[in-house]
Amino acid sequence: DVATALNDRGQVRYLRVEFAAAVQDFTAAIECQPGFEVPYYNRGLVRYRLGDFDEAMKDFRKVLELNPQFEDAALSLKQAILDKEEKKKRGY
C-alpha cells in the first residue's frame, strides 16, 4: 500500500543520510495511514538523530499509544528523555 511504500522510501533516504526527505516520506506515510505506527517510530529516530528530542519523544509516545507492545519505541523514548536531560545539564 501507499503508506508502506512511503515508509520504505523514507528508510532508504534515512540510510542515505537524506534526513529532511526521510522525514517528509514518514510524515506522508502517517498522513496516508494515521494508525500505522512504524513511520512514527522511524520519523522519531530521524528527529532523535538530529537532536530534536522533543519532537522525537512525541513520535515515540504516539507509537506507544498505537501499540503499547512496541519495545523499541519504549527504549527510544527513554533514551531521548535521558539525552535531553544530559543536553540541558551541559547547557546546550
Side-chain angles (χ1 to χ4, degrees):
D1 69 44
V2 175
T4 300
L6 287 164
N7 182 71
D8 291 348
R9 186 172 71 180
Q11 284 284 71
V12 170
R13 288 178 166 172
Y14 174 75
L15 293 172
R16 291 181 178 166
V17 195
E18 298 171 4
F19 296 141
V23 167
Q24 288 176 346
D25 283 341
F26 297 138
T27 300
I30 290 164
E31 289 168 357
C32 285
Q33 192 175 339
F36 184 22
E37 72 269 18
V38 176
Y40 286 101
Y41 177 70
N42 290 331
R43 186 174 70 180
L45 290 177
V46 176
R47 289 173 166 173
Y48 172 84
R49 188 158 177 197
L50 293 172
D52 190 352
F53 300 124
D54 290 330
E55 291 301 311
M57 289 186 293
K58 284 181 192 175
D59 281 338
F60 297 142
R61 285 184 177 114
K62 182 64 177 181
V63 172
L64 294 170
E65 177 186 312
L66 294 169
N67 179 359
Q69 306 307 314
F70 201 122
E71 290 182 29
D72 286 345
L75 292 172
S76 295
L77 176 59
K78 287 178 188 175
Q79 191 62 54
I81 291 167
L82 291 172
D83 289 351
K84 180 182 177 183
E85 290 172 3
E86 184 63 26
K87 185 178 177 180
K88 196 181 251 185
K89 282 181 195 173
R90 292 179 183 216
Y92 59 86

